[in-house]
Amino acid sequence: MSQRKTTGDAVARVTIRDVAERAGVSVASVSRVLSGSNYPVSDTVRSRVMQVVRDLDYVTNAHARSLAGMGTPTVAILINNVTAAAFAHIAKGVEGAATLRGWLSLVGTTGDDPERELALVDLMRQQGVAAVVLLGGAYDHDGYQLRMARFARSLDAVGSHLVLVGRPPLQGDVPATTVDYDNESGAYAMAGHLLSAGHRRILTLPGPAELSTAQGRLNGARRAFEAYGVPFDRGLLRQGPYDEAYGYAAVDAALHETPDFTAVLAGSDIVAAGAMQALRAAGLRVPEDVSITGYDDIPLASQLTPQLTTVHVPYEEMGRVALHAVADRRKSAGAEARRTGPNAEHLVLGTHVVVRNSVRSSKRYPRVTASVRTATKVSR
Amino acid sequence: MSQRKTTGDAVARVTIRDVAERAGVSVASVSRVLSGSNYPVSDTVRSRVMQVVRDLDYVTNAHARSLAGMGTPTVAILINNVTAAAFAHIAKGVEGAATLRGWLSLVGTTGDDPERELALVDLMRQQGVAAVVLLGGAYDHDGYQLRMARFARSLDAVGSHLVLVGRPPLQGDVPATTVDYDNESGAYAMAGHLLSAGHRRILTLPGPAELSTAQGRLNGARRAFEAYGVPFDRGLLRQGPYDEAYGYAAVDAALHETPDFTAVLAGSDIVAAGAMQALRAAGLRVPEDVSITGYDDIPLASQLTPQLTTVHVPYEEMGRVALHAVADRRKSAGAEARRTGPNAEHLVLGTHVVVRNSVRSSKRYPRVTASVRTATKVSR
DNA sequence: TTGAAAGCGGTACCAG
DNA sequence: CTGGTACCGCTTTCAA
């Protein structure tokens, strides 16, 4: 019934030539009808082409189209772990915004492996993606700056662009866009919340020592302690990976070694969940005996009992913002032809404390409001 | 410093021709060196090419390569919602297996919108993806079968393939692969667990009435009731969307209308979480006063207090299995040239109950082991 | 308005 | 072994 030719063993895809032939017009005309070119085409030709397209269920070959110059812009999202709720939300934001703009999105997971990250960046470069978005905190050691700068430049060289989301911005004149949240202020506010509720012995579980986000959260907490004139006790600081087990183990150990803490300042909601379990296992109640706070405000936070007081990070919005930033950039780059000024952009979104039921006043102290919500834009 | 020509306003990407020229060899040689062709190439040429590639930071153009026939196979994953934990796990499985085989993965989200689903399938067809994987339960109304059959055929026509994961298989000779789990048996086992623990008044919250997975879960439960000779009371059945609010509202209402239930059989872990909150809000303890079970076994299940007894669904494995199925299929299709026999495949993975702490014996009844773990393969 | 033909960047076949 | 070149499928001048 169909005229498709079968070349050897595979069904040959219907091409624009097949359509042209069957419609009795030239391929140029078919292209003009289908590519949304505003070039004049008679209605007869147009309708005849459309009819054949429907009959043959034809779709244009995206690769050929890209080669010829008019491809769909694609954004590549590189994640460490798809199942991490926070990352999934950023990805959702990027993907949603991409779709809205008619962009396509590719996803790759690195599993925290630098080798794989490099391979993926290269792969995306081959794909000619419009932008590569790297998600999540970065480990500070082994030349993160250099590594990213290299990525940024090699992507820039092929007309692509690097976007860092939730990662530290790059120093110097590196062609990359950073979308970040006010990590440290969030931690400052959260710790302040605990301190103003009268807590003084606070078990602090910021996360992995080398991870940029964990460092920021720790710094924020220390600044809050300082502001309240409370000495920071290193004995109450325990670092470890962002997972439940860490929260559990840290509390468990602290219960033996420094059992006088009245609150746990966790570096993430997941860690808080682990901490909560450890407290329960020890027969302690939350928040009656010990208060707990989290960070991230992923859905889990409100599913726990008691619901977790935590720091809200606008993950999905960051994803959206990131995509819009590159998309706009791309548009204006087309107009201005050559970049005139600086090439790096740094967007910072605000965070704020969400008060739920996992914190209880320990004594009476002046209460301080510590909600930060700012959207700063720093171009350099 | 670099020899890249700047055409008008955009940086021209380094091409294979640039490399050839600079290395003083032909493009054919460069291609042979880079495309992994096992064609003989002298070491001198090879090393000279590699050197230039490094100097120029050259990467091949994936679109051109695809056009020429030797592109990277790509799998498209279409999800309703990236942030749903279960889907994220399937996606992870697919992505991981794809990577392992050197495949690329594209992700698109449909937001439960059929229009968008159609648009995406078309888009993927344009991209010439090797397979399109559709994730998650399907709504049974408005000709799901017809719709999917159409997708399957149109993908098949361009040499692609439809894969349904966690969705009902297609009837008739439709070219599609289905990877499913034993949904109904899981529900049967879970309900049986509750029944054998002595519960008789069980509030059943399977999920949305029209969703295939919810239907299966309800059927499984009913069969278990039957097997135990317990009449199924429709007054204890409440349907609704798979979310926390539904679980909360349903329990809340039941507490007023049919407060004699001793257990809640939730259609998903999320729903169970909502149910748990409603019980707590009413001053009831879990599991002392009321037992709860979930379904899915997402991480949340073990993060709740008490940890949730639930049905484990091998989501990530399903994703892996799905990818391997299409990949293998593709390989053999190349060898056999033309399909010889039937074209549809249906893989079913097993589910099993994970006993944790949210269920308590109500009276004493003979205990029944109800763990199902089978991997059935039905080719037709 | 329409059609013919020149690329876009690679791959692979065919001569040397 | 190496180089020349005919495609792959589509977009876009350039003429007609």
Side-chain angles (χ1 to χ4, degrees):
Chain A
M1 189 185 250
S2 97
Q3 293 197 346
R4 268 171 252 136
K5 6 175 176 140
T6 330
T7 322
D9 55 17
V11 266
R13 201 165 146 170
V14 179
T15 75
I16 195 172
R17 246 173 290 270
D18 298 327
V19 175
E21 196 176 327
R22 176 128 163 195
V25 301
S26 72
V27 297
S29 294
V30 177
S31 174
R32 289 199 266 259
V33 170
L34 298 179
S35 67
S37 137
N38 50 4
Y39 208 86
V41 177
S42 75
D43 284 352
T44 5
V45 169
R46 181 180 302 278
S47 70
R48 207 178 314 162
V49 168
M50 293 307 276
Q51 183 57 50
V52 173
V53 165
R54 241 171 284 127
D55 289 353
L56 263 40
D57 199 17
Y58 168 80
V59 282
T60 60
N61 180 321
H63 297 299
R65 179 179 281 209
S66 288
L67 236 203
M70 214 211 69
T72 310
T74 302
V75 56
I77 307 172
L78 267 35
I79 322 184
N80 290 325
N81 177 4
V82 221
T83 56
F87 293 171
H89 280 90
I90 303 181
K92 181 181 186 178
V94 173
E95 213 273 345
T99 298
L100 227 58
R101 297 215 178 206
W103 285 38
L104 201 57
S105 49
L106 275 164
V107 173
T109 55
T110 62
D112 267 320
D113 176 5
E115 300 268 350
R116 212 168 138 49
E117 189 179 66
L118 175 59
L120 278 170
V121 169
D122 250 32
L123 185 58
M124 297 315 171
R125 214 144 59 92
Q126 294 180 195
Q127 300 292 322
V129 299
V132 172
V133 180
L134 255 38
L135 301 191
Y139 291 89
D140 219 356
H141 46 50
D142 66 12
Y144 164 76
Q145 290 282 336
L146 266 67
R147 183 182 177 74
M148 291 304 126
R150 195 187 308 283
F151 282 173
R153 297 220 171 78
S154 72
L155 285 167
D156 189 69
V158 298
S160 185
H161 188 68
L162 179 66
V163 184
L164 268 22
V165 178
R167 288 197 174 194
L170 267 23
Q171 287 147 13
D173 184 30
V174 179
T177 297
T178 306
V179 177
D180 212 353
Y181 54 96
D182 200 343
N183 188 32
E184 196 169 320
S185 293
Y188 180 90
M190 192 72 267
H193 179 75
L194 243 24
L195 289 160
S196 77
H199 295 280
R200 287 299 173 267
R201 298 292 293 167
I202 300 175
L203 179 62
T204 306
L205 314 178
E210 328 76 34
L211 196 66
S212 58
T213 51
Q215 292 167 346
R217 291 171 194 188
L218 177 55
N219 288 342
R222 299 185 85 135
R223 274 187 29 229
F225 279 88
E226 216 169 290
Y228 277 76
V230 177
F232 185 80
D233 180 356
R234 293 198 66 84
L236 284 174
L237 169 67
R238 285 167 191 271
Q239 301 178 301
Y242 275 141
D243 59 29
E244 247 181 295
Y246 155 53
Y248 194 100
V251 164
D252 202 46
L255 247 18
H256 291 293
E257 300 168 21
T258 53
D260 62 330
F261 61 90
T262 64
V264 179
L265 181 72
S268 89
D269 294 341
I270 302 276
V271 171
M276 206 180 272
Q277 299 219 352
L279 290 168
R280 288 253 166 69
L284 262 21
R285 292 161 306 164
V286 178
E288 291 79 0
D289 300 319
V290 177
S291 293
I292 299 191
T293 63
Y295 206 116
D296 286 343
D297 195 25
I298 58 175
L300 172 67
S302 58
Q303 289 164 338
L304 292 173
T305 312
Q307 297 190 316
L308 199 61
T309 288
T310 187
V311 176
H312 179 77
V313 180
Y315 285 115
E316 193 172 333
E317 188 183 352
M318 288 169 64
R320 274 198 301 273
V321 167
L323 190 105
H324 289 313
V326 277
D328 291 344
R329 190 176 180 289
R330 195 179 168 77
K331 255 197 303 195
S332 66
E336 294 174 25
R338 214 155 303 201
R339 291 172 233 89
T340 344
N343 207 356
E345 195 180 18
H346 185 189
L347 273 16
V348 181
L349 304 193
T351 52
H352 63 271
V353 170
V354 177
V355 177
R356 289 200 268 254
N357 317 314
S358 64
V359 173
R360 190 186 196 189
S361 290
S362 179
K363 298 171 196 163
R364 241 139 285 143
Y365 273 86
R367 177 153 179 80
V368 176
T369 304
S371 177
V372 186
R373 173 144 235 175
T374 39
T376 324
K377 175 170 170 168
V378 188
S379 273
R380 43 182 170 94
Chain B
M1 189 186 252
S2 95
Q3 293 196 346
R4 273 172 248 133
K5 10 180 172 131
T6 331
T7 321
D9 54 16
V11 264
R13 199 165 147 171
V14 178
T15 75
I16 195 172
R17 250 169 282 272
D18 298 329
V19 175
E21 197 176 326
R22 176 127 163 196
V25 301
S26 71
V27 296
S29 294
V30 178
S31 175
R32 290 199 265 260
V33 171
L34 297 179
S35 67
S37 136
N38 51 1
Y39 211 86
V41 177
S42 76
D43 284 354
T44 6
V45 170
R46 181 180 301 281
S47 70
R48 208 178 313 161
V49 168
M50 293 308 278
Q51 184 57 50
V52 174
V53 165
R54 239 171 285 124
D55 289 354
L56 263 40
D57 200 15
Y58 167 82
V59 282
T60 62
N61 181 322
H63 297 300
R65 181 184 283 222
S66 287
L67 236 203
M70 215 212 69
T72 310
T74 302
V75 57
I77 307 172
L78 268 34
I79 324 185
N80 291 323
N81 178 4
V82 221
T83 56
F87 294 171
H89 280 91
I90 303 181
K92 181 181 186 178
V94 173
E95 213 272 345
T99 297
L100 226 58
R101 296 214 178 207
W103 285 37
L104 202 56
S105 50
L106 276 162
V107 173
T109 56
T110 63
D112 267 320
D113 177 4
E115 301 266 351
R116 217 174 130 45
E117 189 178 65
L118 174 60
L120 278 170
V121 169
D122 250 32
L123 186 58
M124 296 317 171
R125 215 144 59 91
Q126 295 180 195
Q127 301 292 323
V129 298
V132 173
V133 179
L134 256 37
L135 301 192
Y139 291 89
D140 218 356
H141 47 49
D142 65 12
Y144 163 75
Q145 290 281 337
L146 267 65
R147 183 182 177 75
M148 290 304 127
R150 197 188 307 287
F151 282 173
R153 297 220 172 78
S154 72
L155 286 167
D156 189 67
V158 298
S160 185
H161 189 69
L162 179 66
V163 184
L164 269 21
V165 178
R167 289 197 172 193
L170 267 22
Q171 288 147 12
D173 185 32
V174 179
T177 296
T178 306
V179 177
D180 212 353
Y181 54 97
D182 199 344
N183 188 32
E184 197 170 318
S185 293
Y188 180 90
M190 191 72 266
H193 179 74
L194 242 26
L195 288 160
S196 77
H199 295 279
R200 287 299 174 265
R201 299 291 294 166
I202 301 175
L203 179 63
T204 306
L205 313 177
E210 326 77 34
L211 196 65
S212 59
T213 51
Q215 293 168 346
R217 291 171 195 188
L218 177 54
N219 288 342
R222 298 185 85 137
R223 274 185 30 226
F225 279 86
E226 217 169 291
Y228 276 76
V230 176
F232 185 79
D233 180 356
R234 292 198 67 83
L236 284 173
L237 170 66
R238 286 166 190 271
Q239 301 178 301
Y242 275 141
D243 59 29
E244 246 181 295
Y246 155 54
Y248 194 101
V251 165
D252 203 46
L255 248 17
H256 291 294
E257 300 168 23
T258 52
D260 63 329
F261 62 89
T262 64
V264 179
L265 180 72
S268 90
D269 294 342
I270 303 275
V271 171
M276 207 181 270
Q277 298 219 352
L279 290 169
R280 289 253 166 68
L284 263 21
R285 292 161 306 165
V286 178
E288 290 79 0
D289 300 318
V290 177
S291 293
I292 300 191
T293 63
Y295 206 117
D296 287 342
D297 194 25
I298 58 176
L300 172 67
S302 59
Q303 288 164 337
L304 292 173
T305 312
Q307 297 190 317
L308 199 61
T309 288
T310 188
V311 176
H312 179 77
V313 179
Y315 286 116
E316 193 171 334
E317 188 184 352
M318 288 169 63
R320 273 198 303 272
V321 167
L323 189 106
H324 289 313
V326 278
D328 291 344
R329 190 177 181 290
R330 195 179 168 76
K331 253 196 301 192
S332 65
E336 293 174 27
R338 211 156 303 200
R339 292 172 232 87
T340 344
N343 208 355
E345 195 180 18
H346 185 190
L347 273 16
V348 181
L349 304 193
T351 52
H352 62 269
V353 170
V354 178
V355 177
R356 289 201 267 254
N357 318 314
S358 64
V359 173
R360 191 188 196 187
S361 289
S362 179
K363 298 173 198 164
R364 243 139 287 142
Y365 272 86
R367 180 153 177 77
V368 176
T369 305
S371 177
V372 185
R373 174 142 236 177
T374 40
T376 323
K377 175 169 172 170
V378 187
S379 273
R380 44 180 168 99

